[in-house]
């Protein structure tokens, strides 16, 4: 559906263009130092870096075709889109779909559910890769570190379908292993899969299980850049492992953490459709229905394409605002933002 | 690994793909296809395995009809999503099997004239011209026939009960709702499989309980098929009626005694079949023809399975006469619709209809039912059919059986247990069929809102049944739905009904 991806795309596109331009950033600066007359020089710097631009082309084309062009479809959010009439033939209705969305009760339910889970993700899931990376960093036996790394990366490569199925087999009260264990202790089985109270913990736990290991990569990479002399010096001063981690490693990877945090904020409403869709059912829908799943149900299952596009567009705009805001905030505190 | 989420996952993937196709589409599909190219067909797949495109049945059908064709299989569990997105993006085939007759998107697409009106052509074909006029009427929307109706037996549903478990416990086959409950509870508590473990239950239900299994049960209590008309000519949605709520109260009582699998809301069709084959429960409300499939599945795991089934087609409640909700919309299982975007002119319509017409001949019908003689089945002198290679039949033949344009061409005698019995019992209860009175009526609000309303009612039903909410809360949800279009739907149908029935 149009709405599902588009706005998140805007964010990721922004991030990507930022990274794409990174190699360029130093050049205008150095160019302007050496020679002030800009227009001619600019062309020549362009020519000088032509191979870099050439290398950027596939990326740019990718974003144009798969991220920007589909955004054109968002106009159906302002139409009563009927597939057989097409975008050109469908009647325009202005902001009707938005008005309907904001005046319905579902809006608050969706907002609450999305925010609660996003908050949970930030509080519980976001720090886990950092802690894991710190722990891995302390492992000195090379082969052991390597093998642990591979093991924790592995869940990342499983699709949500597999992950959720594994948890289903473990957690179901109709003969799931965890519940069999609980019952064998003489306790009542816990309906993890259907109890609304269990949905959020289960969802976040699954996210951590699947993503934490993979998330350490960025932090581990940042940690390799820390000057070894700092550790040696601190050792002479009598600092232990814990002290070193707190006073050297963590401050050194702070910019990375902040960049990751901004990106996480940008994805605040972008929980992703697939995972939630798979764990959602009639009984936990009241807390599980989020913007992404609602867009799917309203748009694909119930055929209200324009309405769903409007919901998706709203979600995307909020995501964009959040990422801009977080970036500003980071810069204000003297850190480097994502752009 | 559980298959539970596989289908949902496929749906998820389809959506992601759709995000691309739906958006970048609009340029229209250029390149007019050659008139004599293969016919494409979007058909539903009710089996876990997709048949081989060069498989024996496909080849034989092409040979018989003299027409090449390609089938795009749509897994039945994700048919709504797939069909809706196909309709939205215009990525259709020459023949589209539309089996969800009350889907909002499907109704809108039909009403908008996206498909050919096939009625004027039917008389030109030997088999299509013989379709039961009642079925044609039931298949019309607003007086127009937007596709060849799937002809089905009107009443296939019933209750199947583990006969061997009944025997173990010394119980009789239940014929009333009261006895059914007793059996369900006994199956739960009295260790019917005699393995000394508390690992069985009565009913094995699934996620779609509200739409299929339980819906069929409500018929015994007197509820209508989606809608009913009262004495004053007023149309009511079945889930708002007292009969339906009586059934809910009864079923919740059964559930609370542990006699329904407790997490049925997370159970998909294949999980349900697995659970039945593994002997986790002994009662299923389903098509009577399923008994043979359950047995086959159980035998594939354990050739010595003691599994035996009793097929029950005469459950009554509180002394009322037996009635059974039609699970096929009164013998109309949907449409084989021809989209105008793919089938460009009348000659092509004739070509495609000719192909469908030939599929109703006896030979292709046999191919799609039993397979190829000598490979999949043997037929003896008395015409009794024996499936000789069950695995090959499941792989090659079974997927096609639900795509037969007519299921009433011929009834084969079978040596497979429960096949003849199921056929007889399904036919036997046809006179008691309860059919949706609004099926061929139109309500604009229904077309727009029904899917959403039904979803919400279904959630409320599930929550009531599992004890999350009480009957008063369910009624509150229904009241809420009234304000969101249910009242309009009932009123529009009432008016339309009055107009048609004077």
């Amino acid at each position: 559906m149009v709405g599902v991806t588009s706005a998140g795309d805007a964010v990721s596109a922004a991030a990507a263009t930022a990274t794409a331009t990174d190699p360029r950033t130093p050049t205008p600066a150095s160019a302007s130092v050496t020679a002030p007359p800009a227009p001619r020089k600019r062309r020549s710097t362009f020519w000088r870096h032509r191979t870099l631009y050439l290398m950027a082309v596939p990326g740019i084309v990718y974003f144009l075709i798969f991220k920007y062009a589909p955004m054109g479809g968002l106009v159906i959010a302002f139409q009563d889109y009927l597939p057989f009439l097409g975008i050109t033939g469908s009647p325009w209705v202005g902001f009707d779909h938005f008005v309907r969305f904001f005046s319905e009760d579902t809006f608050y339910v969706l907002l609450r559910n999305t925010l609660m889970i996003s908050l949970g993700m930030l509080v519980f899931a976001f720090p886990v890769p950092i802690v894991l990376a710190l722990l891995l960093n302390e492992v000195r036996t090379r082969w052991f570190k390597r093998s642990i790394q591979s093991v924790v990366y592995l869940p990342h490569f499983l699709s949500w379908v597999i992950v959720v199925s594994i948890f289903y087999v473990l957690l179901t009260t109709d003969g799931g292993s965890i519940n069999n264990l609980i019952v064998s202790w003489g306790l009542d089985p816990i309906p993890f899969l259907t109890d609304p109270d269990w949905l959020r913990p289960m969802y976040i736990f699954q996210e951590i299980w699947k993503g934490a290991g993979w998330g350490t990569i960025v932090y581990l990479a940042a940690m390799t850049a820390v000057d070894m002399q700092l550790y040696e010096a601190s050792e002479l001063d009598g600092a232990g492992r814990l002290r070193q981690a707190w006073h050297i490693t963590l401050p050194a990877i702070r910019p990375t953490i902040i960049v990751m945090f901004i990106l996480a904020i940008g994805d605040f409403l972008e929980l992703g459709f697939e995972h939630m869709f798979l764990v959602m059912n009639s009984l936990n829908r009241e807390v599980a229905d989020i913007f992404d799943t609602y867009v799917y149900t309203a748009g694909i299952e119930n055929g209200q394409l324009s309405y769903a596009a409007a919901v998706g567009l709203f979600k995307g705009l909020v995501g964009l605002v959040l990422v801009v805001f977080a970036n500003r905030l980071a810069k204000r505190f003297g850190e480097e933002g994502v752009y | 690994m559980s298959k539970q989420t596989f289908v949902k996952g496929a749906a998820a993937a389809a959506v992601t793909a759709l995000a691309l196709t739906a958006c970048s589409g609009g340029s229209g599909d250029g390149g007019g296809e050659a008139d004599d190219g293969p016919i494409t067909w979007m058909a539903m797949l009710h089996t876990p395995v997709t048949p081989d495109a060069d498989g024996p049945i496909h080849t034989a059908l092409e040979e018989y009809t003299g027409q090449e064709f390609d089938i795009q299989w749509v897994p039945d569990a994700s048919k709504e999503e797939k069909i809706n997105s196909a309709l939205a993006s215009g990525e259709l085939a020459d023949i589209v099997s539309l089996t969800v007759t009350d889907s909002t998107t499907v109704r809108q697409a039909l009403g908008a004239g996206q498909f050919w009106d096939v009625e004027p052509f039917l008389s030109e074909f030997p088999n299509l011209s013989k379709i039961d006029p009642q079925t044609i009427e039931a298949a019309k929307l607003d007086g127009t026939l937007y596709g060849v109706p799937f002809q089905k037996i009107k009443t296939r549903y019933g209750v199947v009960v583990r006969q061997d478990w009944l025997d173990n416990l010394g119980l009789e086959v239940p014929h009333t709702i009261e006895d059914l409950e007793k059996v369900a509870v006994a199956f739960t508590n009295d260790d019917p499989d005699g393995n000394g473990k508390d690992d069985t239950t009565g009913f094995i239900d699934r996620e779609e309980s509200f739409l299929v299994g339980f819906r069929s049960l409500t018929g015994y209590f007197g509820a209508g098929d989606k809608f009913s008309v009262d004495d004053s000519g007023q149309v009511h949605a079945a889930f708002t009626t007292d009969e339906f709520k009586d059934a809910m109260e009864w079923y919740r009582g059964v559930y609370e005694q542990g006699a329904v699998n407790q997490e049925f809301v997370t159970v998909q069709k294949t999980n349900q079949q697995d659970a039945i084959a593994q002997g986790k429960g002994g009662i299923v409300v389903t098509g009577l023809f399923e008994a043979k499939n359950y047995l086959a599945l159980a035998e594939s795991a354990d050739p010595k399975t003691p599994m035996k089934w009793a097929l029950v087609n005469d459950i009554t409640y509180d002394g009322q006469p037996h009635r059974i909700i039609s699970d096929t919309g009164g013998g109309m299982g949907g449409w084989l619709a021809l989209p105008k975007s793919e089938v460009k002119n009348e000659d092509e319509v004739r070509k495609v209809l000719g192909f469908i017409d030939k599929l109703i001949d006896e030979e292709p019908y046999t191919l799609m039912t039993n397979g190829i003689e000598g490979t999949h089945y043997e037929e003896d002198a008395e015409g009794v059919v024996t499936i000789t290679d069950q695995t090959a039949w499941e792989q090659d033949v079974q997927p096609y059986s639900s795509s037969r344009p007519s299921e009433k061409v011929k009834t084969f005698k079978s040596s497979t247990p429960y096949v003849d019995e199921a056929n007889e019992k399904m036919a036997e209860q046809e006179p008691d069929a309860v059919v949706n009175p609004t099926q061929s009526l139109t309500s604009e609000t229904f077309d727009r809102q029904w899917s959403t309303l039904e979803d919400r009612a279904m959630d409320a039903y599930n929550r009531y049944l599992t004890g999350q909410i009480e009957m008063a809360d369910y009624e509150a949800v229904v009241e809420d739905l009234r304000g969101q279009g249910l009242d309009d739907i009932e009123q529009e149908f009432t008016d339309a009904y009055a107009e048609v029935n004077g």
Side-chain angles (χ1 to χ4, degrees), chain A residues 84 165 172 282 285 296 300-301, chain B residues 5 81 84 112 114 459 462:
Chain A
F84 21 91
S165 297
T172 175
S282 278
R285 195 187 308 277
Y296 173 79
I300 306 292
E301 284 192 343
Chain B
T5 39
E81 295 94 294
N84 285 352
Q114 215 174 344
D459 278 356
N462 283 332

Side-chain angles (χ1 to χ4, degrees), chain B residues 39-328:
Chain B
I39 289 178
T40 53
W41 183 358
M42 204 180 264
M44 302 307 141
L45 184 67
H46 290 257
T47 55
V49 216
T50 311
D52 200 347
D54 311 314
I57 302 302
H58 194 106
T59 320
L61 288 175
E62 282 187 342
E63 221 162 81
Y64 180 83
T65 56
Q67 173 68 51
E68 277 183 61
F69 66 99
D70 297 319
I71 294 189
Q72 303 160 13
W73 294 104
V74 177
D76 190 64
S78 61
K79 65 187 164 195
E80 290 209 38
E81 295 94 294
K82 187 74 208 305
I83 290 292
N84 285 352
S85 39
L87 289 171
S89 60
E91 305 268 322
L92 296 164
D94 294 337
I95 306 174
V96 183
S97 295
L98 299 173
T99 53
V100 193
T101 53
D102 57 359
S103 146
T104 297
T105 321
V106 168
R107 290 240 171 187
Q108 278 179 344
L110 291 175
Q114 215 174 344
F115 297 93
W116 284 93
D117 173 5
V118 295
E119 199 177 11
F121 302 95
L122 292 187
S123 57
E124 299 169 27
F125 301 96
N127 292 320
L128 297 182
S129 59
K130 277 185 246 149
I131 300 177
D132 181 358
Q134 268 191 317
T135 310
I136 298 266
E137 279 312 307
K140 279 183 183 176
L141 261 191
D142 257 348
T144 315
L145 187 67
Y146 290 112
V148 179
F150 277 105
Q151 300 170 65
K152 304 218 175 220
I153 297 158
K154 277 185 199 160
T155 49
R156 303 180 304 173
Y157 261 57
V159 180
V160 297
V161 184
R162 281 288 291 263
Q163 179 69 54
D164 53 323
W165 288 11
L166 290 172
D167 296 343
N168 290 349
L169 300 177
L171 295 164
E172 294 291 317
V173 176
H175 296 287
T176 65
I177 284 290
E178 293 78 7
D179 288 347
L180 188 62
E181 178 173 353
K182 276 182 206 137
V183 168
V185 174
F187 279 3
T188 311
N189 298 331
D190 301 349
D191 191 22
D193 56 1
N195 67 355
K197 287 190 212 148
D198 179 19
D199 58 355
T200 53
T201 184
F203 290 91
I204 296 280
D205 210 335
R206 68 167 192 261
E207 193 187 33
E208 291 129 315
S209 172
F210 180 76
L211 301 174
V212 289
F214 174 73
R215 189 170 79 95
S216 186
L217 285 176
T218 64
Y220 301 130
F221 287 79
D225 174 14
K226 302 231 165 174
F227 287 91
S228 60
V229 186
D230 67 16
D231 297 336
S232 62
Q234 176 75 36
V235 172
H236 300 281
F239 64 74
T240 66
T241 57
D242 289 341
E243 292 86 355
F244 197 92
K245 289 185 235 168
D246 288 347
M248 280 172 66
E249 269 162 6
W250 172 80
Y251 201 46
R252 172 155 160 182
V254 180
Y255 179 89
E256 279 170 350
Q257 299 174 70
V260 181
N261 51 334
Q262 296 289 296
E263 283 197 331
F264 71 91
V265 290
T266 63
V267 172
Q268 310 271 325
K269 189 169 183 174
T270 41
N271 298 61
Q272 185 194 25
Q273 289 165 340
D274 289 345
I276 296 159
Q278 291 160 12
K280 289 186 177 167
I283 305 175
V284 198
V285 185
T286 185
L288 291 172
F289 54 86
E290 290 278 16
K292 79 161 171 29
N293 297 332
Y294 297 150
L295 181 62
L297 200 58
E299 275 175 343
S300 70
D302 170 17
K304 284 189 218 136
T305 179
M307 183 181 278
K308 278 200 197 98
W309 290 103
L311 280 51
V312 189
N313 72 341
D314 57 358
I315 301 266
T316 55
Y317 169 66
D318 202 19
Q320 292 182 37
H322 173 253
R323 54 208 295 288
I324 179 80
I325 287 180
S326 169
D327 63 303
T328 53

Side-chain angles (χ1 to χ4, degrees), chain A residues 107-117 200 286-287:
Chain A
F107 173 71
Y108 298 99
V109 174
L110 295 176
L111 193 67
R112 183 198 68 198
N113 293 344
T114 311
L115 291 182
M116 288 295 286
I117 290 172
R200 290 178 187 132
E286 53 174 321
V287 295

Side-chain angles (χ1 to χ4, degrees), chain A residues 27-38:
Chain A
T27 17
S30 57
S32 62
V33 170
T34 45

Side-chain angles (χ1 to χ4, degrees), chain A residues 30-87:
Chain A
S30 57
S32 62
V33 170
T34 45
R40 271 193 59 194
K41 273 293 160 192
R42 187 169 291 161
R43 186 181 303 151
S44 71
T45 49
F46 178 83
W47 187 246
R48 195 143 34 97
H49 296 292
R50 60 190 179 280
T51 37
L52 287 178
Y53 284 107
L54 197 68
M55 281 193 273
V57 163
I60 293 169
V61 169
Y62 167 80
F63 277 101
L64 282 180
I65 294 180
F66 291 108
K67 303 288 172 177
Y68 283 94
M71 275 193 223
L74 279 175
V75 297
I76 70 165
F78 305 97
Q79 292 184 324
D80 249 342
Y81 177 71
L82 290 171
F84 21 91
L85 297 178
I87 288 177

